[in-house]
Amino acid sequence: MATLVHTQEVTFLRWPVQSNERDQLREAGLPCLLVLEGQTAPPNDISPTEDWVRPPVARLDLAARVHTLQQRTGTDFMPALDPTGVLYYGGQSVPMSEAQSEMMRCFLADFGHLVRRDTLKEALGRINHETVTSNAIDLHIMRLRQRLDGVRLGLRTVWGRGYILETAG
């Protein structure tokens, strides 16, 4: 397997050889610079946490791409949940339980927008394989709010509808 090259928190991947590693980095929301091999076309689904270059690339151009990725994935961008259930945001991290991770996936899929209580019930039901009550949702939200304090994120209640994950003020 090819090795990953890290520089200043940005991972360099050879494209398309290391496409599996790219998928893992994307899922975790970690910055990645794809180095295109030969005449390979860049992927058409570049995310905000990614960029690409074709060698040879000037050192100043490479530094600019790395700097841009660092800014995009910095404290003012998006929280990321890694596959092990650790939430990263603002240079901080906090471990999540299985239920909290499942709920966070809902919030991160539409960061800054309303996530309905029914969506959270369905997500929790997938891991518990049973019907989730409103009281259970309330309890999980309370515990999730406590966890989010460690990474300067908060959940705003939208009365009768659901919650919005946002940066804490």
Side-chain angles (χ1 to χ4, degrees):
M1 178 180 287
T3 59
L4 301 178
V5 177
H6 297 274
T7 179
Q8 301 175 18
E9 301 174 14
V10 172
T11 302
F12 286 46
L13 296 178
R14 292 173 37 224
W15 178 259
V17 173
Q18 292 179 294
S19 59
N20 288 340
E21 289 90 342
R22 176 192 182 216
D23 293 341
Q24 293 169 359
L25 292 170
R26 286 182 79 159
E27 186 175 321
L30 300 173
C32 154
L33 186 67
L34 302 174
V35 181
L36 304 184
E37 296 185 335
Q39 296 302 312
T40 303
N44 58 5
D45 62 341
I46 295 287
S47 79
T49 61
E50 298 174 316
D51 203 348
W52 62 271
V53 294
R54 187 179 309 278
V57 60
R59 182 176 288 233
L60 288 175
D61 292 343
L62 186 61
R65 298 279 179 124
V66 167
H67 178 72
T68 300
L69 281 171
Q70 288 172 326
Q71 285 185 318
R72 281 192 216 153
T73 56
T75 59
D76 296 328
F77 192 63
M78 264 198 55
L81 184 68
D82 77 10
T84 66
V86 177
L87 180 70
Y88 297 90
Y89 185 70
Q92 305 292 319
S93 65
V94 63
M96 300 270 156
S97 69
E98 183 181 18
Q100 291 167 345
S101 294
E102 197 62 35
M103 292 173 69
M104 282 307 299
R105 285 184 189 90
C106 297
F107 288 115
L108 296 177
D110 209 4
F111 182 59
H113 294 94
L114 177 73
V115 174
R116 297 190 172 278
R117 288 177 62 89
D118 289 344
T119 302
L120 298 173
K121 282 183 182 181
E122 289 172 16
L124 290 173
R126 285 192 296 268
I127 61 171
N128 294 336
H129 305 293
E130 58 187 47
T131 304
V132 178
T133 66
S134 289
N135 287 342
I137 292 291
D138 294 339
L139 180 63
H140 284 294
I141 289 292
M142 180 193 73
R143 290 179 178 159
L144 189 55
R145 281 185 166 134
Q146 293 169 344
R147 286 283 173 176
L148 293 175
D149 283 345
V151 290
R152 296 185 305 257
L153 289 170
L155 290 173
R156 180 168 34 113
T157 301
V158 179
W159 183 251
R161 296 177 61 203
Y163 305 91
I164 298 173
L165 178 67
E166 58 191 8
T167 56

